[in-house]
Amino acid sequence: MADQLIRLRTAERQITITRMFQAPRELVWKEWTEPRRFADWFGGPETEVPLSSVSIDLRPGGAWRATTLAYGPDRRDIRWEGEYIEVIEPERLAFTICGLANAPTPDLVTVILADLGDGRTKMLFQQRGHRTAEQYEHTRKAWSAEFDHLAGRLRS
């Protein structure tokens, strides 16, 4: 059993992104946890997230879902869903994420928000699971674009 556990841990890959936002921690928390706000930045500037596709049951064991509709000739619609594992308002959120079209096994996402004072927030984002290194590089780029979009929303 211990050997199996070690193999599972070593098979996991992850990405970590740290971002600073010019906004109070409570506002950044709301961007992650309120459907209308989440729909405005999730997927980045090249997608649309219909508010009707967003559902957030913000409690451990609660489900979430959203659909991203990509613009342009390579239009792809992806249904995202997961379950909240940990909810500690306004500092820590952990949930699973699975894009039903591209990954049958969910990853674990952890978001830690630190209040830096002066209305600034440091976000530590981590996603881990069993995708390939190439898939995680694509995932890192996608989240980075989404966080750029979020930063712009928070500045305005």
Side-chain angles (χ1 to χ4, degrees), residues 39-78:
D40 283 344
W41 68 267
F42 184 69
E46 301 297 318
T47 64
E48 175 188 354
V49 178
L51 183 56
S52 62
S53 78
V54 179
S55 174
I56 295 177
D57 182 5
L58 192 62
R59 62 181 174 81
W64 75 274
R65 67 172 170 77
T67 300
T68 54
L69 312 173
Y71 299 128
D74 298 334
R75 185 178 171 106
R76 276 188 4 190
D77 300 352
I78 301 174

Side-chain angles (χ1 to χ4, degrees), residues 28-39:
V28 178
W29 175 265
K30 288 178 181 181
E31 293 289 332
W32 277 99
T33 61
E34 294 181 2
R36 182 172 302 281
R37 292 175 187 266
F38 186 74

Side-chain angles (χ1 to χ4, degrees), residues 2 6 12 15-16 31 35 60-61 67 73 79 93 123 128 136 145:
I6 290 169
E12 273 194 350
I15 58 171
T16 301
E31 293 289 332
T67 300
R79 286 185 18 224
L93 193 61
M123 180 185 75
R128 67 176 192 254
Y136 276 118

